[in-house]
Amino acid sequence: MDEREKVAALVGDAELVEYFYLRLPALELRLHLDRIALRITESQDAVPFNAQVKGYIGAEDGEGHPWILKPALNEKEIVYHRLCGLAFLLDHAMGTLAAPTTLVRIGDKPYRATKVVRNSIQISSYNYLAQPFVDILRADLVNRWLYFDEDRNPNNYLVIHNKANVPFVVAIDYDKADLESDKMKITGNPDKFGWFRQEKTRFLTLLRPDHFHGVGIEVFEARLKALSDIPADTISALALGVLKGFLPEPEEYSARIASNILSRRAYIDEYFRRMIKPAAQSEDLSHDADYSMFGSSFINMYQDKK
């Protein structure tokens, strides 16, 4: 059983499992998303307010599930949003709950498309430095580091509940992901666990590096293993699949994207395992008690930018 299947079992809610396509392996899901037919709806009631102000419009699929769309304005944007869809597929393969994201055509017009996460609450309504949220966000660093995604703020995570009222975190918005860079834009601090970034205006995670100090590798083990277990030929097939039909000669370009992903995952896996020890050798130095009131903690936390 891979991590996607484990998450499906953990969610234990057939409606949510189907909504997030958790029964489909990543390769099958890519094909499903490429076949999906969306229609723009007259009512925009399903479009979240923060999406409306960014120019998104509402749509629905054949099952009546709501999506939000934003026009892709040129060929560069089309390719970029297809790569954002690849980042989502990798999240899916790692068993990470995430809002389905792709690029579709309605008529002859291309749109970035994201499935609406229904009945969700922004993580800012919770103390995310307490369990179970803090360990979910710790593990999620693996994913965002892989994509060089430096646009992580409380708006990028939603919380949903299954029928048993168990909370689950859903990652949304790949709009700042970068799978094209062949250089490490984010590198690990060799002295203690942490990172150096080229981008200084956004954040890689909601957490500070010291929220990882003293935490055992067990917190990251499932995510690291899930990432390492994705076969290289699956990554190559996903990269080619999302780009075929959107570039004149996608083979060379998709091979470079796959190579970037493979290089980054090797770097991340080695760095995490070298810098983070098993729990038996570690002491959790997280500061949950210092941040019991989340509402102001995010602002306070980032007064000194990472």
Side-chain angles (χ1 to χ4, degrees):
M1 181 181 292
D2 62 24
E3 283 303 311
R4 171 188 54 81
E5 293 169 315
K6 290 177 183 177
V7 168
L10 188 63
V11 169
D13 184 323
E15 183 177 349
L16 289 177
V17 168
E18 295 299 330
Y19 197 82
F20 289 98
Y21 309 117
L22 293 175
R23 299 195 192 282
L24 295 179
L27 286 170
E28 293 182 29
L29 179 53
R30 185 197 69 76
L31 293 172
H32 175 82
L33 291 176
D34 281 351
R35 292 191 297 261
I36 201 164
L38 301 180
R39 70 171 190 87
I40 297 173
T41 55
E42 293 184 10
S43 171
Q44 298 297 298
D45 292 345
V47 182
F49 175 75
N50 60 339
Q52 290 186 36
V53 299
K54 294 179 181 179
Y56 285 86
I57 57 176
E60 66 178 20
D61 59 28
E63 298 175 283
H65 295 156
W67 292 69
I68 54 174
L69 307 175
K70 191 172 186 180
L73 302 179
N74 52 53
E75 293 300 317
K76 184 176 181 180
E77 283 196 4
I78 289 172
V79 171
Y80 177 73
H81 290 312
R82 290 294 291 182
L83 290 176
C84 290
L86 174 57
F88 160 70
L89 290 168
L90 292 171
D91 267 3
H92 184 81
M94 284 185 272
T96 306
L97 270 181
T101 298
T102 187
L103 182 132
V104 301
R105 294 186 186 275
I106 300 178
D108 60 350
K109 295 182 179 180
Y111 294 89
R112 176 190 178 187
T114 302
K115 200 170 190 180
V116 174
V117 181
R118 299 179 300 187
N119 302 316
S120 61
I121 302 173
Q122 286 186 355
I123 203 169
S124 55
S125 296
Y126 299 83
N127 176 9
Y128 70 68
L129 293 176
Q131 297 294 358
F133 304 110
V134 67
D135 276 353
I136 295 172
L137 294 176
R138 283 167 173 156
D140 192 68
L141 177 65
V142 172
N143 307 54
R144 308 315 138 195
W145 197 326
L146 180 69
Y147 314 138
F148 297 163
D149 183 355
E150 299 188 57
D151 192 20
R152 294 288 106 187
N153 62 69
N155 295 327
N156 300 131
Y157 296 96
L158 300 175
V159 178
I160 60 173
H161 291 76
N162 66 4
K163 290 181 179 178
N165 204 33
V166 176
F168 293 87
V169 176
V170 181
I172 65 171
D173 196 352
Y174 296 87
D175 198 31
K176 296 299 185 294
D178 178 359
L179 295 179
E180 297 177 283
S181 175
D182 56 5
K183 297 180 179 179
M184 289 298 296
K185 292 169 62 176
I186 301 166
T187 56
N189 185 334
D191 299 322
K192 59 182 179 179
F193 186 85
W195 50 89
F196 302 114
R197 308 178 300 116
Q198 292 184 5
E199 177 62 69
K200 299 301 181 185
T201 59
R202 300 184 182 93
F203 304 101
L204 178 62
T205 172
L206 305 190
L207 306 176
R208 295 195 308 253
D210 58 23
H211 291 133
F212 296 83
H213 297 166
V215 178
I217 192 64
E218 292 83 357
V219 170
F220 310 94
E221 185 63 51
R223 191 64 52 85
L224 291 171
K225 185 177 185 304
L227 174 57
S228 296
D229 283 350
I230 304 173
D233 59 356
T234 296
I235 292 174
S236 296
L238 288 170
L240 180 58
V242 300
L243 293 170
K244 194 171 183 178
F246 295 89
L247 286 172
E249 298 179 358
E251 289 79 9
E252 181 178 350
Y253 190 80
S254 64
R256 181 163 67 85
I257 297 297
S259 177
N260 291 344
I261 294 167
L262 292 171
S263 296
R264 295 180 199 181
R265 83 169 178 182
Y267 180 95
I268 292 167
D269 187 75
E270 189 281 331
Y271 180 75
F272 271 71
R273 295 187 184 282
R274 173 163 50 89
M275 300 300 293
I276 301 178
K277 306 303 180 185
Q281 304 174 34
S282 304
E283 179 183 357
D284 191 345
L285 300 178
S286 64
H287 304 290
D288 295 356
D290 296 336
Y291 295 96
S292 59
M293 295 300 292
F294 170 77
S296 61
S297 70
F298 184 75
I299 296 174
N300 296 335
M301 204 184 313
Y302 286 105
Q303 285 178 342
D304 295 322
K305 292 184 178 180
K306 303 191 202 75

